């Protein structure tokens, strides 16, 4: 499972990218607004840091507007992926872009049926929003797992992104579904690296090492 970071924060992207575990970045209008900077320059900076797909979202509702934005965004860098919401207009825009070989991440996908349409329209990625499904009392993981199965049934090559991940257990659960990619918030990635037994183990090793050094120096 590839790991993407779900943020538009440059410092966070730099830090996690330095771990060598990042395969891409997803952003959305909310995440970009949080940074309070001009959207395109943020996307440009991210493409210079991470060598992988960087999703930038359109905000138009109509196909023509989406296409116009998509063409402008795809000029920023080769690794910019156009994020388009799954609506009838979004599907039509995705079809047009995929025939121009511009890659689309179809976003706000909440059901198997929507995921099937995204694939037929030619989306390279489909983002399934787990946390938001859980928020309204649905079982996000089980819907994600059904989408993985449906794609496998037909050899669909659209990559599934588990999105709207809220906590470390989500990551473990999505990994067990066989999903291609998990896009994870900074705070959750940081938590993934932590374990109390790792900290305890390091303390113990250091303690024993110091004891040995003390013993050796008293024998001299
Ligand atoms: C994914 O592409 C979205 O940016 C993101 O995962 C949404 O997460 P949220 O539901 O926590 O806002």
């Amino acid at each position: 499972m590839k790991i993407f970071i779900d943020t538009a924060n440059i410092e966070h992207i730099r830090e996690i990218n330095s771990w060598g575990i990042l395969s891409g970045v997803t952003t959305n209008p909310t995440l970009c607004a949080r940074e309070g900077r001009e959207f395109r320059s943020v996307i440009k900076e991210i493409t210079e840091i991470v060598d992988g797909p960087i999703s930038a979202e359109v905000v138009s509702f109509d196909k023509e507007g989406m296409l116009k934005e998509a063409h402008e965004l795809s000029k920023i860098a080769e690794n910019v992926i156009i994020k388009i919401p799954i609506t009838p207009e979004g599907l039509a825009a995705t079809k047009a872009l995929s025939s121009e070989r511009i890659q689309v991440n179809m976003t706000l996908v909440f059901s198997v049926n929507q995921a099937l349409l995204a694939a037929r329209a030619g989306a390279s990625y489909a983002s399934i929003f787990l946390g938001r499904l859980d928020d309204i009392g649905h079982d996000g993981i089980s819907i994600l797992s059904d989408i993985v199965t449906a794609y496998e049934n037909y050899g669909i090559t659209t990559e599934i992104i588990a999105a709207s991940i809220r906590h470390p257990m989500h990551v473990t659960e999505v990994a067990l579904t066989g999903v291609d990619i998990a896009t994870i918030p900074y705070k959750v990635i940081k938590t993934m690296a932590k374990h109390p037994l790792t900290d305890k183990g390091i303390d113990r090793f250091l303690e024993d090492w110091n004891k040995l050094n003390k013993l050796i120096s008293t024998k001299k």
Side-chain angles (χ1 to χ4, degrees):
M1 182 178 77
K2 284 174 272 186
I3 293 177
F4 286 12
I5 189 167
D6 192 28
T7 184
N9 182 288
I10 299 293
E11 281 72 46
H12 291 171
I13 293 170
R14 274 193 208 287
E15 180 187 339
I16 302 301
N17 192 49
S18 75
W19 295 7
I21 53 102
L22 263 196
S23 299
V25 180
T26 52
T27 66
N28 65 36
T30 305
L31 295 172
C32 291
R34 211 173 274 168
E35 299 310 308
R37 287 182 49 198
E38 201 272 316
F39 168 56
R40 279 154 222 255
S41 65
V42 173
I43 297 295
K44 172 96 183 122
E45 210 172 329
I46 299 173
T47 62
E48 285 160 2
I49 301 167
V50 180
D51 186 20
I54 312 300
S55 289
E57 191 156 341
V58 300
V59 288
S60 298
F61 296 111
D62 62 306
K63 177 187 166 191
E64 291 318 316
M66 286 174 177
L67 291 179
K68 189 169 178 286
E69 282 186 67
H71 289 134
E72 281 161 13
L73 289 170
S74 60
K75 277 187 213 140
I76 295 177
E78 264 186 19
N79 53 338
V80 169
I81 307 298
I82 311 303
K83 215 173 174 192
I84 297 188
I86 178 142
T87 58
E89 294 286 313
L91 287 166
T94 299
K95 187 72 193 171
L97 292 168
S98 68
S99 56
E100 290 176 47
R101 299 192 182 283
I102 293 178
Q103 291 195 303
V104 172
N105 172 1
M106 190 123 252
T107 191
L108 291 166
V109 174
F110 293 98
S111 68
V112 174
N113 289 347
Q114 287 183 319
L116 289 170
L117 294 176
R120 292 306 301 167
S124 300
Y125 303 91
S127 289
I128 324 302
F129 279 46
L130 301 179
R132 294 192 196 187
L133 279 163
D134 291 353
D135 288 345
I136 60 157
H138 289 260
D139 183 350
I141 295 294
S142 127
I143 292 167
L144 177 71
S145 181
D146 287 347
I147 293 170
V148 170
T149 306
Y151 275 20
E152 275 170 6
N153 286 346
Y154 298 101
I156 291 170
T157 54
T158 302
E159 289 192 74
I160 304 172
I161 304 182
S164 188
I165 285 175
R166 303 278 172 76
H167 50 75
M169 267 316 288
H170 262 158
V171 181
T172 304
E173 287 166 352
V174 304
L176 297 178
T177 68
V179 76
D180 302 287
I181 299 157
T183 189
I184 313 174
Y186 170 77
K187 248 170 62 185
V188 178
I189 298 182
K190 293 279 279 189
T191 316
M192 285 167 70
K194 294 288 279 179
H195 197 290
L197 291 179
T198 305
D199 296 341
K200 209 171 159 192
I202 291 170
D203 290 348
R204 172 83 184 273
F205 286 151
L206 193 64
E207 209 178 288
D208 291 343
W209 192 252
N210 289 338
K211 270 188 210 156
L212 172 68
N213 284 336
K214 215 169 174 186
L215 188 73
I216 292 169
S217 62
T218 52
K219 277 188 182 166
K220 274 186 193 163

